[in-house]
Amino acid sequence: MNRLVSGIKPTGELTLGNYIGAIKQFVQLQNELPDTEFFIFIADLHAITTPQDKQLLKSRIKEIAAFYIACGLDPNRVNLFVQSEVMEHALLGYIMESTAYIGEMERMIQFKEKRRNQEQGVRTSLLTYPALMAADILLYDANIVPVGEDQVQHLELTQTLAERFNSQYGDTFVVPKPYITKVGAKIKDLQDPTKKMSKSNDLSVKSYILLSDNLNQIKNKIKSAVTDSDTSIYFDEVNKPGISNLLTIYSALTNLSIEEIVEKYKNETSYAGFKIDLAEIVASHIGNIQTKYNELIASNTLDEILDQGAMKAKMFASRKMAKVLNKIGLKRKK
Ligand code: ATP
Ligand code: LTN
């Protein structure tokens, strides 16, 4: 059986980048891959690699789960759970640390970037984070891992660790493959379209759109997105990164191809009409998500879904963990 694993950190509110680059894809995949079992989790252990406010973290874990479902994830189809509720993740994470070399961790681009943003108090777990991510994946024998481009390096390390473990201890882990979206793999910052849209690195609120933003705010952010002084609408990431980013968003939310959108606006003499249309598209899309979210967050259903998800994940994970421990000589009894 095929298995798909992916996680999302509850480090901030969800952005349009997370939606297009990750969540929307899960929703599509759950329909496109009927023979695949899905494990999708809120990566709360990953969140504490950097300092977090405890109350905020607690509420975000549930909010993010509710948003996933509001975005169309079907809890009957997908095991949705909170990472720290399945403790095998941390245990296998440690075993992956004992499989990886320090140099491999130090080479990770995300580590280098995040470390640069922090002056002091850089946590050890920020360095060892990819070992935990490898564990998240290998624990479920996952062969499909949908992620954005920024995670490919971590995925490659996961493959290396799986292969190294397998060659040291005998065949144990499935070597996973990344699955990257074609459109919208990297949604850019609206104010600086050379950077990725990120909820934790951007200082200006106009840089990103949150799924929880009010709809007028959303429209204004699209209308004030930075674009070039040319007026024709076409895709050119190098010379027209702003317009190219807006075209990507347009395409991802309408399922029209970039070419079809360019064709539609080919007679425009300014960006205004295109931006107004896109503002409506984004606001209406997010508006629908918010309606479902508000229903869920006010009910008990969410806790039931997360309890059920954790129970099923644990069943799988504990069996796998017993095998792993046995392979490395840590299991006292058969
Ligand atoms: P941060 O920017 O705070 O470091 P993040 O948003 O990159 O966090 P996650 O919340 O864990 O990190 O990301 C969840 C998923 O969303 C990942 O697969 C990631 O690649 C994807 N993602 C995040 N930002 C974008 C973006 N701007 N465009 C496309 N995909 C994105
Ligand atoms: N590192 C990822 C989140 C993440 C993940 C995973 C994704 C943690 N564990 C396992 C896929 C599979 C991120 O920062 N976006």
Side-chain angles (χ1 to χ4, degrees):
M1 179 167 211
N2 285 322
R3 265 179 223 95
L4 175 151
V5 164
S6 204
I8 190 157
K9 277 179 297 174
T11 44
E13 293 180 74
L14 292 170
T15 67
L16 186 63
N18 296 133
Y19 175 64
I20 295 175
I23 308 176
K24 191 166 170 288
Q25 195 183 176
F26 299 149
V27 175
Q28 256 163 10
L29 288 176
Q30 85 187 346
N31 304 324
E32 283 167 15
L33 305 174
D35 299 328
T36 302
E37 192 175 3
F38 282 60
F39 292 90
I40 293 183
F41 62 93
I42 316 300
D44 57 347
L45 294 174
H46 286 275
I48 59 166
T49 54
T50 54
Q52 302 296 329
D53 175 90
K54 111 180 184 196
Q55 286 309 331
L56 214 57
L57 180 61
K58 202 178 164 100
S59 54
R60 274 191 182 140
I61 291 169
K62 282 182 89 168
E63 283 164 17
I64 287 194
F67 265 120
Y68 265 83
I69 301 166
C71 290
L73 213 70
D74 175 1
N76 294 317
R77 184 65 192 85
V78 170
N79 299 312
L80 180 65
F81 64 98
V82 179
Q83 184 187 28
S84 64
E85 292 176 15
V86 181
M87 276 180 261
E88 285 76 4
H89 284 252
L91 182 53
L92 187 58
Y94 179 75
I95 288 168
M96 285 299 120
E97 284 176 25
S98 310
T99 307
Y101 308 132
I102 295 177
E104 288 172 322
M105 298 290 161
E106 285 171 338
R107 269 202 298 280
M108 295 293 117
I109 296 162
Q110 197 177 59
F111 168 68
K112 289 198 254 184
E113 280 177 5
K114 295 216 169 187
R115 173 195 221 170
R116 225 177 286 133
N117 296 339
Q118 254 181 282
E119 268 157 27
Q120 51 189 346
V122 176
R123 296 182 178 176
T124 313
S125 56
L126 192 68
L127 175 67
T128 56
Y129 166 115
L132 181 58
M133 177 159 164
D136 298 336
I137 297 165
L138 302 178
L139 198 50
Y140 298 97
D141 288 339
N143 44 0
I144 310 169
V145 185
V147 284
E149 269 172 32
D150 60 333
Q151 296 301 316
V152 171
Q153 200 188 22
H154 295 157
L155 238 306
E156 287 166 356
L157 181 63
T158 303
Q159 294 169 329
T160 304
L161 298 182
E163 281 160 3
R164 185 175 303 152
F165 190 102
N166 286 348
S167 76
Q168 276 171 2
Y169 299 108
D171 218 15
T172 311
F173 294 121
V174 172
V175 181
K177 287 194 197 68
Y179 186 103
I180 308 189
T181 23
K182 286 170 206 76
V183 173
K186 206 167 194 175
I187 300 298
K188 305 286 169 40
D189 182 308
L190 297 175
Q191 294 299 313
D192 176 1
T194 58
K195 290 195 324 197
K196 103 169 177 163
M197 182 185 283
S198 158
K199 62 206 169 200
S200 53
N201 297 336
D202 289 322
L203 297 174
S204 159
V205 292
K206 286 165 91 184
S207 289
Y208 53 82
I209 288 178
L210 298 177
L211 296 187
S212 58
D213 275 347
N214 88 41
L215 303 184
N216 279 330
Q217 242 176 326
I218 292 176
K219 290 184 199 168
N220 287 334
K221 286 183 185 182
I222 293 284
K223 288 179 200 159
S224 60
V226 168
T227 41
D228 52 75
S229 54
D230 182 17
T231 52
S232 47
I233 298 170
Y234 61 93
F235 193 88
D236 177 347
E237 271 187 315
V238 177
N239 299 308
K240 296 169 77 69
I243 278 295
S244 302
N245 187 38
L246 297 184
L247 280 167
T248 303
I249 296 172
Y250 198 125
S251 172
L253 298 186
T254 56
N255 296 324
L256 289 173
S257 69
I258 304 266
E259 294 74 39
E260 286 167 321
I261 303 163
V262 169
E263 178 65 24
K264 187 168 165 178
Y265 292 96
K266 70 169 187 241
N267 296 325
E268 296 281 317
T269 51
S270 86
Y271 293 147
F274 169 72
K275 281 187 168 178
I276 289 172
D277 289 354
L278 179 60
E280 288 303 323
I281 291 167
V282 178
S284 110
H285 212 92
I286 295 184
N288 289 337
I289 294 173
Q290 288 179 356
T291 308
K292 292 186 202 130
Y293 171 87
N294 291 333
E295 283 167 16
L296 259 170
I297 207 83
S299 74
N300 294 328
T301 321
L302 188 62
D303 275 329
E304 288 162 18
I305 292 170
L306 292 174
D307 286 348
Q308 182 76 8
M311 198 185 77
K312 289 205 183 142
K314 191 158 179 78
M315 253 162 36
F316 196 98
S318 58
R319 253 184 277 141
K320 184 77 193 175
M321 209 54 232
K323 284 187 198 147
V324 173
L325 292 175
N326 197 30
K327 290 262 178 176
I328 50 183
L330 289 181
K331 202 158 170 282
R332 187 164 49 84
K333 289 186 191 164
K334 263 272 175 221

